[in-house]
Amino acid sequence: MKPVFATLLIVSLVLTSSPLIKTTTAPADTGYPCDTKCQDRCAAAGVKKRCLDDCGICCQICKCVPSGTYGNKSECPCYQYMRNSKGTSKCP
């Protein structure tokens, strides 16, 4: 029983560390500089990672990010009206 368990353990470790398994996906190229715009938008954020994640999602969908670090959402209506599951603004 022990050799079978050891063999299964080794096989599972080899398969999970295989370079053939793709673990990350590259974001789709939107033609709009979302990374740069979101870095600027989230520069003063308290929780920067969450801000960058949400901004990136909004940017890919809306293809725009308002200027500045806060407000100015009227520059990008799609960005302004996106809501999360709690009903509050999704986009920072």
Side-chain angles (χ1 to χ4, degrees):
M1 183 68 177
K2 287 184 181 181
V4 172
F5 178 73
T7 304
L8 289 174
L9 180 63
I10 291 171
V11 169
S12 66
L13 288 173
V14 169
L15 289 176
T16 57
S17 64
S18 174
L20 297 175
I21 299 172
K22 187 174 183 180
T23 57
T24 59
T25 57
D29 183 21
T30 60
Y32 186 80
C34 289
D35 290 341
T36 305
K37 296 287 187 175
C38 287
Q39 285 288 339
D40 294 342
R41 183 75 177 171
C42 296
V47 184
K48 195 166 189 168
K49 181 175 177 359
R50 182 173 36 186
C51 180
L52 289 170
D53 289 345
D54 290 344
C55 180
I57 291 167
C58 295
C59 179
Q60 286 181 355
I61 292 170
C62 297
K63 310 285 190 275
C64 62
V65 174
S67 60
T69 58
Y70 185 79
N72 304 321
K73 289 186 179 182
S74 60
E75 295 174 3
C76 183
C78 168
Y79 195 94
Q80 180 178 5
Y81 295 113
M82 286 185 69
R83 300 284 177 216
N84 63 18
S85 61
K86 295 178 184 176
T88 61
S89 179
K90 175 161 187 67
C91 306

